[in-house]
């Protein structure tokens, strides 16, 4: 079955993207950042979908997870992990048009610790696995919209090399930890291996970027008590898993929910309101 791009409304969609093997030109976007007056006191306002009820005592900050920003593969199963460069730009333009602020893990920690919602609509945009297309296709768009991206890389298996990581840091991106070789931290029971995957990986990334690493995103989204002793020893202040919630409990710093992003603008808008469902064309495979 062909996957149809469901975009509607006033955002121009480049439907030729699937025929284009590499992304070389910027898609035309009708929503320009300069067209929208700045409003940094907009939390919960002007949402395109009614927001889900927020549990009392939580902090609402959608944490978005991307993997590949590249032309969609024909294989439906791996398609879940791709957002096309054109769709990614549409999503970033949407965030800009709605005056979203993008943050890095340290700011996320500070907001969570303060225990109340930010005054401005806020998201954290994350990318897993250190795929080189993150550098080639997402990074230029993030810079264009003056957004912060948070890149979780496996320190020994990063497809983005050291010089490029340094270039990204210089441009304001955050490079954070996704293990060393992307092993399942729950399945791994050998202390020396856990140390390599959790403690050494952080040191390697910090040495490459010259910046402190604050958070880990668990490969496959899981960890256990044995892994947690190393997570604490390494000095992480946040641990990100996967989930369906955009709300976070202060005090819960190590099982944080991130929401998967699909190649679908309407679904993207819903997720920002806390609505989680499979978008049209995808299934719970
Ligand atoms: Zn991963």
């Amino acid at each position: 079955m062909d996957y149809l791009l469901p975009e509607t409304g006033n955002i121009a969609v480049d439907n030729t993207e699937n025929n284009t093997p590499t992304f070389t030109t910027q898609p035309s976007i009708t929503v320009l950042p300069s067209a929208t007056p700045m409003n940094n006191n907009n939390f919960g306002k002007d949402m395109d979908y009614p927001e889900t009820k927020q549990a009392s005592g939580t902090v609402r900050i959608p944490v978005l997870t991307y993997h590949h920003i590249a032309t969609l593969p024909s294989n439906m199963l791996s398609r879940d992990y791709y957002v096309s460069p054109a769709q990614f730009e549409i999503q970033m333009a949407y965030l800009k048009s709605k005056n979203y602020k993008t943050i890095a893990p340290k700011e996320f920690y500070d907001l969570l610790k303060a225990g109340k919602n930010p005054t401005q609509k806020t998201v954290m945009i994350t990318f897993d696995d250190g795929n080189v297309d993150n550098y080639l296709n997402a990074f230029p768009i993030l810079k264009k919209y003056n957004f912060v991206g948070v890149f979780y890389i496996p320190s020994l298996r990063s497809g983005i090399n050291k010089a490029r990581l340094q270039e990204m840091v210089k441009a304001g991106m955050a490079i954070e930890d996704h293990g060393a070789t992307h092993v399942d931290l729950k399945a791994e029971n050998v202390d020396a291996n856990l140390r390599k995957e959790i403690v050494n990986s952080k040191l390697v990334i910090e040495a490459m970027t010259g910046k402190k690493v604050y958070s880990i995103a668990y490969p496959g989204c899981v960890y256990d008590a044995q892994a947690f002793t190393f997570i604490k020893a390494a000095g992480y202040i946040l641990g990100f898993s996967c989930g369906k919630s955009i709300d976070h409990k202060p005090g819960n710093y190590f099982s944080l929910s991130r929401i998967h992003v699909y190649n679908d603008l309407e679904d993207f808008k819903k997720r920002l309101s806390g609505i989680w469902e499979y978008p049209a064309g995808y299934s719970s495979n």
Side-chain angles (χ1 to χ4, degrees):
M1 187 181 81
D2 285 328
Y3 175 62
L4 302 171
L5 287 172
E7 288 81 10
T8 54
N10 63 350
I11 294 178
V13 177
D14 177 7
N15 281 317
T16 63
E17 61 187 85
N18 289 340
N19 304 323
T20 310
T22 51
F23 181 66
T24 50
T25 54
Q26 299 290 331
S28 62
I29 300 290
T30 56
V31 178
L32 294 173
S34 57
T36 311
M38 192 57 196
N39 174 6
N40 56 15
N41 193 29
N42 61 357
F43 185 88
K45 292 174 192 157
D46 187 26
M47 302 299 290
D48 283 345
Y49 287 88
E51 290 186 287
T52 56
K53 192 174 174 346
Q54 183 179 358
S56 66
T58 62
V59 177
R60 175 160 284 192
I61 304 170
V63 182
L64 312 173
T65 308
Y66 294 92
H67 288 81
H68 287 281
I69 305 299
T71 303
L72 303 190
S74 51
N75 180 326
M76 284 306 288
L77 284 175
S78 51
R79 187 166 283 198
D80 285 22
Y81 296 96
Y82 283 76
V83 170
S84 74
Q87 172 64 210
F88 182 71
E89 172 143 23
I90 286 165
Q91 293 178 357
M92 295 304 105
Y94 177 78
L95 292 177
K96 185 60 85 176
S97 75
K98 293 285 188 179
N99 282 316
Y100 273 88
K101 180 184 182 179
T102 57
I103 58 171
K106 177 62 168 64
E107 294 164 283
F108 181 95
Y109 175 83
D110 291 340
L111 286 164
L112 187 56
K113 200 172 176 197
K116 50 184 186 204
N117 291 332
T119 55
Q120 181 174 357
K121 285 179 183 164
T122 299
V123 287
M124 194 163 92
I125 304 169
T126 75
F127 302 83
D128 280 11
D129 301 340
N131 297 308
V132 69
D133 58 52
N134 293 178
Y135 169 83
L136 297 173
N137 298 335
F139 177 47
I141 294 170
L142 291 165
K143 278 192 292 186
K144 177 176 170 182
Y145 290 92
N146 204 17
F147 280 163
V148 176
V150 182
F151 297 83
Y152 287 100
I153 65 160
S155 63
L156 300 180
R157 295 237 179 117
S158 174
I160 309 172
N161 68 29
K162 181 178 167 179
R164 286 173 166 178
L165 291 171
Q166 289 175 342
E167 181 191 344
M168 292 164 82
V169 165
K170 220 172 154 190
M173 306 294 134
I175 310 299
E176 300 278 301
D177 194 292
H178 196 42
T181 64
H182 207 274
V183 302
D184 181 321
L185 300 176
K186 200 172 170 184
E188 178 58 67
N189 295 316
V190 178
D191 278 352
N193 292 344
L194 286 169
R195 181 173 296 281
K196 180 182 99 173
E197 294 292 335
I198 297 167
V199 181
N200 295 6
S201 60
K202 180 170 179 281
L203 296 172
V204 167
I205 294 168
E206 287 174 343
M208 281 197 291
T209 63
K211 291 275 186 187
K212 192 171 162 59
V213 165
Y214 293 101
S215 63
I216 182 169
Y218 311 119
C221 303
V222 293
Y223 70 104
D224 63 8
Q226 188 186 3
F228 190 62
T229 60
F230 291 96
I231 291 161
K232 289 300 281 184
Y236 294 105
I237 58 173
L238 297 172
F240 286 92
S241 185
C242 308
K244 298 182 177 183
S245 179
I246 59 171
D247 300 330
H248 312 281
K249 276 203 187 93
N252 170 23
Y253 296 112
F254 291 96
S255 296
L256 294 159
S257 170
R258 294 187 300 159
I259 50 172
H260 189 88
V261 177
Y262 291 88
N263 194 64
D264 185 317
L265 179 63
E266 286 311 308
D267 178 71
F268 183 75
K269 294 176 183 176
K270 288 179 190 170
R271 279 166 201 238
L272 294 169
S273 289
I275 303 159
W276 201 104
E277 56 194 36
Y278 285 101
Y282 291 89
S283 64
S284 54
N285 47 46

